[in-house]
Amino acid sequence: MQMNKIISQKIAAGERISTEEGLWLYRSASLAQLMEWAQTVRRRINGNKVFFNKNVHIEPTNICSNRCLFCSYRRAQNEEGSWALSLDEIAAIAQKYKHSDITEVHIVGGVHPHWGFEVYKNMVAEVHKILPQVHIKAFTAEELWKMHESSNLPLADVLQQLKALGLQSIPGGGAEVLQDAVRAKICPEKINSAAWLQVHQTAHNLGLSSNATMLYGHVESYEDRMVHLGLLRDLQDHTRGFNAFIPLKYRKLHNDLSAVGEVSTAEDCRNMAVCRLFLDNIPHLKAYWPMFGKSLVDNMLHYGADDLDGTIDAGTQIYSMAGAEDTKPTMTVQELQAICRRNRFELTERDSLYKTVKKE
Ligand code: V47
């Protein structure tokens, strides 16, 4: 039987796509066919809903001991453009949202060479004290691994202590491509694939859910992407701890990988659809608008994405520093509503665990 027919039947029956079939989707499926299949799967899992939350990002520092080639954000200590927020400055940001309706604070930054576990614990405790009702999603596997190494505590203890102070979930950053040969080229100082997975598995075992990302469109091959997706799907079969998967398109401005350029919109659509079809056990796929740009997210919704992340409120600079269109990214609920209306989707406010936020 032709591959097209085999995959069509599997999707209709809700059966799992193999790695070989995933590779065929990347290489040979038409965009029209991918869109149709991705829509079938997204409707089965998420109906006509497009989720968002009201969130704010806090980026405590861009000083980082890693020198990843794709990063436009990282600075050395004392370099022009570097920042490291004090606990008081972080508290002041949290205070601004005390009487707002945000439901999540997302905290991610560089791996500061001189910050020990205490600094991170104080951050979580302080934000939780000021915003006790707000979900704290904080620290990439990279930051958590460095806490584990610098404190000499087992990873589970690090996570357990943060959880006791108010941490509720882990964002998906630092995954890049979970293939060590690719990591050696683009982020040689980062933890390896096994360590990234170990952090998430440990978190899931402690009842902390998490997200997973994939940085695509640079030096990796389709085979590398399939290895990455396979590792995530296998872990999810065991733990069920991933809420969302977020494909992150490599953006080329002001970093050391610029020469490889950026992939096309057609490739973004293809990638989103293949991820939706292959990751049958991860419920949500985010079209992360600060990275794609507000003009591209419409497309992504038709290729399997069901989540537009959040309003963010001017809190992230990772993408603007790498060339994404908005310099101080923020999205109003009205803008999100307009995207959904013109694409005939139903906008739904969610909390960090994807429960619908009820209006009073
Ligand atoms: O790991 C860095 C990526 C990630 C570039 O879990 C770049 O809800 C493109 O993980 N071009 C951090 N991407 C951000 C992240 C994230 C964002 C939003 C929501 C969630 C979530 C997680 O940003 C890094 C890296 O893969 N990144 N530089 C660049 N030039």
Side-chain angles (χ1 to χ4, degrees):
M1 213 192 306
Q2 278 183 338
M3 196 59 117
N4 211 17
K5 283 221 174 90
I6 298 173
I7 295 177
S8 230
Q9 285 181 4
K10 280 193 162 184
I11 287 164
E15 285 172 22
R16 185 160 267 197
I17 299 294
S18 70
T19 299
E20 191 200 351
E21 289 156 354
L23 269 176
W24 183 87
L25 292 172
Y26 269 132
R27 289 194 184 122
S28 309
S30 72
L31 274 181
Q33 183 69 85
L34 283 169
M35 178 162 75
E36 191 191 318
W37 285 333
Q39 285 186 356
T40 301
V41 173
R42 78 92 72 206
R43 269 195 217 103
R44 191 180 295 142
I45 304 175
N46 292 301
N48 201 36
K49 290 190 167 142
V50 168
F51 296 95
F52 81 105
N53 70 355
K54 292 189 182 139
N55 64 348
V56 55
H57 283 218
I58 300 179
E59 294 179 348
T61 183
N62 66 346
I63 297 171
C64 190
S65 43
N66 295 333
R67 284 158 296 183
C68 302
L69 277 72
F70 54 78
C71 187
S72 319
Y73 168 86
R74 178 254 179 210
R75 295 287 180 275
Q77 207 167 8
N78 302 321
E79 189 182 337
E80 201 189 328
S82 65
W83 74 80
L85 303 182
S86 66
L87 193 58
D88 285 348
E89 287 170 317
I90 290 172
I93 298 174
Q95 284 289 354
K96 277 200 328 192
Y97 296 94
K98 208 166 164 50
H99 303 291
S100 76
D101 56 357
I102 61 157
T103 60
E104 179 184 277
V105 178
H106 169 122
I107 311 175
V108 164
V111 179
H112 193 294
H114 305 308
W115 284 3
F117 188 27
E118 290 302 314
V119 175
Y120 295 96
K121 285 203 287 188
N122 291 342
M123 236 182 255
V124 171
E126 190 69 13
V127 172
H128 185 57
K129 188 176 81 191
I130 298 166
L131 301 169
Q133 318 297 346
V134 173
H135 179 108
I136 301 180
K137 179 179 73 174
F139 310 135
T140 62
E142 190 68 28
E143 290 164 289
L144 290 160
W145 190 269
K146 293 289 149 62
M147 292 177 217
H148 148 64
E149 276 187 345
S150 67
S151 66
N152 283 318
L153 287 167
L155 202 47
D157 291 13
V158 167
L159 286 159
Q160 190 69 66
Q161 287 190 33
L162 291 170
K163 186 180 176 194
L165 293 168
L167 179 77
Q168 284 171 280
S169 65
I170 313 278
E176 320 315 354
V177 179
L178 294 170
Q179 173 76 298
D180 290 333
V182 176
R183 299 177 88 72
K185 290 184 195 149
I186 65 167
C187 52
E189 293 147 323
K190 269 203 162 110
I191 57 173
N192 66 17
S193 309
W196 190 93
L197 290 162
Q198 194 188 330
V199 172
H200 285 261
Q201 181 165 23
T202 310
H204 298 172
N205 290 342
L206 291 169
L208 293 162
S209 55
S210 72
N211 292 334
T213 56
M214 175 172 77
L215 179 71
Y216 71 93
H218 42 88
V219 303
E220 88 291 0
S221 63
Y222 285 145
E223 282 86 352
D224 295 324
R225 289 192 212 174
M226 287 312 305
V227 168
H228 182 99
L229 297 175
L231 288 166
L232 294 178
R233 193 170 77 174
D234 287 350
L235 179 55
Q236 181 74 338
D237 276 342
H238 287 100
T239 64
R240 300 275 155 189
F242 289 120
N243 285 329
F245 175 73
I246 311 150
L248 296 169
K249 173 191 186 137
Y250 164 66
R251 304 303 303 250
K252 67 173 186 187
L253 266 196
H254 310 306
N255 60 59
D256 292 340
L257 268 187
S258 297
V260 306
E262 289 179 6
V263 295
S264 64
T265 304
E267 182 59 24
D268 296 326
C269 294
R270 174 172 299 279
N271 183 65
M272 185 65 84
V274 178
C275 294
R276 179 60 292 170
L277 297 172
F278 189 80
L279 294 174
D280 56 0
N281 54 4
I282 300 189
H284 302 287
L285 252 70
K286 272 191 199 179
Y288 188 56
W289 58 264
M291 175 268 288
F292 284 115
K294 287 181 187 177
S295 52
L296 248 184
V297 292
D298 294 53
N299 274 319
M300 296 301 128
L301 296 178
H302 294 288
Y303 283 86
D306 64 282
D307 188 348
L308 290 172
D309 194 76
T311 44
I312 297 184
D313 205 20
T316 180
Q317 298 191 52
I318 295 181
Y319 297 101
S320 48
M321 289 166 88
E325 64 202 31
D326 305 298
T327 49
K328 277 281 179 191
T330 189
M331 180 87 100
T332 63
V333 176
Q334 286 72 20
E335 282 178 280
L336 290 164
Q337 194 61 266
I339 292 170
C340 288
R341 284 218 185 97
R342 66 177 176 253
N343 292 288
R344 290 185 294 283
F345 287 109
E346 184 195 328
L347 185 68
T348 305
E349 184 179 350
R350 61 164 176 88
D351 68 12
S352 303
L353 302 175
Y354 288 84
K355 292 211 182 63
T356 302
V357 172
K358 296 261 182 318
K359 294 274 165 298
E360 298 302 316

